[in-house]
Amino acid sequence: MARQDGFGSSFGTLIALIGSAVGLGNLWRFPYLVGTNGGAAFIIIYLICVVFLCLPGMISEFVIGRRSQQDVYGAFKVLAPGSKWKYAGLVCVLGVTTVLSFYCVVGGWTIDYLIKAIGMKFSVADQGAFNNIFTSVSTSSTKNTFYMLIFLVCTCAVVLMGVKNGIEKCNKVMMPVLFVLLIVIMVRSLTLPGSGEGMKFLFKPDWSKVTTSTVIAALGQGFFSLSLGCGTIITYASYSNKKDNLFKTSGLTALADTMVAILASIAIMPSVFSYGISPTQGPGLAFVTLPYVFANMPFGWLMGILFFFIMFIAAISSSISLLEVMVAYLIEEFKANRMKATLLSFSVVLILGTLCALSQGALSGVHIFKKNIFDFFDFISANVLMTGGGLLAVLFVGWRLSKKDFKDEFTSSGKYNYSPWFLSTVLLLIKYLAPIGVALIMINGLI
Ligand code: TRP
C-alpha cells in the first residue's frame, strides 16, 4: 500500500529522528550516570560505544525501515516473506508499549516540576526538603496519574495530526528551542564561582572508577538514548525519502544526541560542584539536587523554569516517536484510520501507564518478580524487549538481508559512493560486534 503521509524533506526526517533520540535519556539519565560512574572516563567509554555499537544498530534499523517502507511488523514481513522474522516486529511493538507506559509517568513529573518551578515552590533552603518534594511527587497516586494522563494526551494530540503536519512540524519548533535554552542554562552554570571543578570532573578522566559494569552501563545508555531496539528508527525511517543519505542522517542523529547529552552535563555538573554537592545522587540528580541548586543561585528561578520546560519538550518529542510505532502498526496491519489507531493506543497506554503511576502509591504492595510495576516495566523493556528487538534488528541486517540489498539501501541505489573497505567495516560491525555488545547488555541485565 502506498504511503500517503511521510516526512517532507531530509531535514524533516533528521529533526524528527533527533527529537526521538533526545529525551529524558539525555537530560536526566546521562548526567546522573556520568555522576555515578566517575565523570570523564564514562563519557569517553560512552563515545566509543556510540560509534562502534550503537551507530551500527541505528544504521540497521534505518535500512530495515527505509527498504521496506512499512510499519515494524510489515517491515520484517516484507523483507523476509513467509518466515518467522515478522515476530521481531511484535517484540518492537511490545517494547514501545512498555517503554511508553513508564516514560509517560516520568514525563508527568516534568509537568509537575515545571508547574512547581513557575509557582516558585523551590524556594525552600535545605536539601532535605527537596527529597521530600520528590518523594511526594513520585508516590502520590492521584497527582502521578493526573500528570501522566496530561502528558499522554499531549503525545496523542501530536501523533493525531499526522507524520508531516504533527510529528515533523512540532519537532521543527521544539528541537531548536530546546537547544537554545540548554545553551542559556549552560552559560549560567559555567559563570558560577567554582564551576571549574565540575568541568574538571567532566573532562579529566579518572580511570580508577571504571569497571565492566561502567562499560555495560554506557552501552545500555547509548541504546536507550539513540532510541534503538523498539522500532522507532524503523518506523521513522520508513517515512523518509529513498534519496536521503542514510549514513549521514544516522551519523548526524547520533552526533546531535551525544552533543545534547554532554551539553546537559555541562549545564548541570558545574552548578552542582559550585554548591559543593556530590554528583553521585543517581536518579534524583535532576529532581532533587538540581531544584536545590536552582533555589540557591542567582536567576535560579528562571533557570528552574527553563530546565523543566526543556525536560518536557525533550520527553514529548521522544514519546511521540514511541507512540507512532504503535499507531503505524495498527494503521497498516489492521487498516485502521489514524484516529482509531491513536485512540486504541491511547487506551492501552492509559491502562498500563496508570498501573505504573500507581506503583509507588496505591499499588505499592503489588510486586512482579520482586519489583514494583514501574520498575518491572523499566526492567523488562531495558533488559528483554529493547535489547531483544535491537539484537534481532542487527542480526537481521547482518545475517538475513543480502549484502547486495544492504549495499543498495545504504548507498541509496548507488547515489552515494563509499569505498568497499568502509562498507565491509560497517557490515562487519553489524554482523559481529553489535550483536555481541547487545547480547552482553542483555545477559548482564538478566543476571
Ligand atoms: N531516546 C529517548 C530518550 O533518550 C527515549 C526513547 C524514544 C526510546 N524512543 C525510544 C528508548 C525507543 C528506547 C527505545 O529519552
Side-chain angles (χ1 to χ4, degrees):
M1 185 178 74
R3 281 271 178 68
Q4 288 142 9
D5 202 0
F7 293 127
S9 63
S10 53
F11 179 69
T13 307
L14 176 66
I15 205 100
L17 281 168
I18 294 177
S20 169
V22 171
L24 295 168
N26 305 62
L27 300 177
W28 168 56
R29 215 159 171 267
F30 184 80
Y32 87 64
L33 284 177
V34 170
T36 50
N37 285 290
F42 179 83
I43 298 185
I44 295 171
I45 295 173
Y46 179 79
L47 292 177
I48 296 172
C49 288
V50 166
V51 174
F52 293 104
L53 289 148
C54 301
L55 190 56
M58 181 174 248
I59 291 171
S60 306
E61 289 199 22
F62 211 121
V63 166
I64 295 173
R66 200 176 65 172
R67 184 125 199 110
S68 64
Q69 309 264 296
Q70 300 279 327
D71 67 288
V72 273
Y73 184 77
F76 287 100
K77 210 168 60 181
V78 161
L79 297 179
S83 73
K84 290 204 168 64
W85 276 104
K86 56 181 185 272
Y87 297 114
L90 287 187
V91 174
C92 292
V93 176
L94 220 59
V96 283
T97 314
T98 36
V99 173
L100 195 54
S101 302
F102 72 82
Y103 206 82
C104 283
V105 176
V106 185
W109 296 350
T110 66
I111 302 179
D112 195 349
Y113 267 76
L114 178 60
I115 294 172
K116 285 191 165 64
I118 295 170
M120 294 199 177
K121 290 277 162 43
F122 295 145
S123 49
V124 271
D126 77 296
Q127 220 183 333
F130 288 97
N131 259 319
N132 298 341
I133 292 179
F134 185 54
T135 311
S136 88
V137 165
S138 54
T139 55
S140 155
S141 298
T142 34
K143 268 196 185 171
N144 245 341
T145 313
F146 175 69
Y147 288 119
M148 179 274 299
L149 176 67
I150 307 238
F151 185 84
L152 180 58
V153 168
C154 294
T155 305
C156 289
V158 178
V159 169
L160 204 55
M161 288 188 287
V163 178
K164 193 169 172 191
N165 293 325
I167 299 175
E168 181 175 343
K169 265 202 187 133
C170 285
N171 274 307
K172 276 184 174 160
V173 178
M174 293 193 288
M175 284 305 109
V177 170
L178 183 146
F179 194 72
V180 171
L181 295 185
L182 190 56
I183 302 272
V184 173
I185 305 175
M186 193 184 85
V187 170
R188 168 69 284 199
S189 173
L190 285 175
T191 48
L192 287 169
S195 62
E197 278 308 304
M199 290 303 275
K200 238 193 237 156
F201 177 73
L202 285 177
F203 296 107
K204 225 171 131 215
D206 168 11
W207 295 103
S208 69
K209 294 241 169 44
V210 174
T211 58
T212 349
S213 66
T214 319
V215 181
I216 306 248
L219 192 52
Q221 168 63 14
F223 228 71
F224 183 81
S225 193
L226 289 181
S227 304
L228 300 181
C230 290
T232 39
I233 309 292
I234 297 181
T235 305
Y236 271 11
S238 78
Y239 298 132
S240 73
N241 193 300
K242 281 272 182 202
K243 294 194 185 73
D244 290 353
N245 188 332
L246 190 155
F247 180 62
K248 194 170 136 198
T249 311
S250 314
L252 284 177
T253 305
L255 183 71
D257 184 69
T258 308
M259 246 171 66
V260 172
I262 293 178
L263 288 182
S265 308
I266 303 180
I268 293 174
M269 284 308 167
S271 3
V272 168
F273 275 81
S274 168
Y275 285 90
I277 302 170
S278 158
T280 55
Q281 163 88 34
L285 184 67
F287 294 107
V288 178
T289 310
L290 267 194
Y292 170 74
V293 169
F294 290 142
N296 287 287
M297 70 166 65
F299 300 108
W301 172 66
L302 184 61
M303 292 305 130
I305 296 176
L306 297 186
F307 183 78
F308 288 108
F309 180 61
I310 59 173
M311 280 263 263
F312 171 70
I313 300 185
I316 276 281
S317 61
S318 297
S319 63
I320 55 181
S321 75
L322 287 159
L323 186 68
E324 181 61 23
V325 175
M326 299 172 79
V327 169
Y329 167 68
L330 293 174
I331 291 179
E332 282 166 33
E333 300 306 319
F334 299 95
K335 312 280 169 271
N337 60 29
R338 186 162 277 272
M339 182 71 176
K340 271 195 194 140
T342 311
L343 272 178
L344 185 60
S345 311
F346 168 80
S347 314
V348 173
V349 179
L350 180 64
I351 295 170
L352 298 175
T354 306
L355 293 178
C356 289
L358 298 178
S359 67
Q360 295 189 59
L363 294 180
S364 60
V366 181
H367 287 92
I368 314 170
F369 291 116
K370 296 199 187 110
K371 292 180 183 339
N372 71 32
I373 303 170
F374 182 106
D375 292 340
F376 176 72
F377 274 43
D378 183 6
F379 177 83
I380 199 91
S381 58
N383 298 301
V384 181
L385 298 169
M386 237 169 75
T387 35
L391 188 59
L392 290 172
V394 282
L395 287 177
F396 184 81
V397 173
W399 297 91
R400 166 78 208 226
L401 202 69
S402 73
K403 196 174 170 192
K404 188 177 139 282
D405 283 352
F406 172 79
K407 199 176 146 198
D408 186 61
E409 199 56 47
F410 190 79
T411 60
S412 299
S413 304
K415 186 162 182 258
Y416 305 99
N417 278 315
Y418 298 99
S419 66
W421 75 262
F422 179 74
L423 277 171
S424 304
T425 310
V426 174
L427 206 53
L428 224 62
L429 290 175
I430 293 176
K431 250 182 144 143
Y432 299 102
L433 200 63
I436 294 172
V438 184
L440 277 181
I441 328 180
M442 205 168 181
I443 294 165
N444 181 67
L446 288 176
I447 51 175

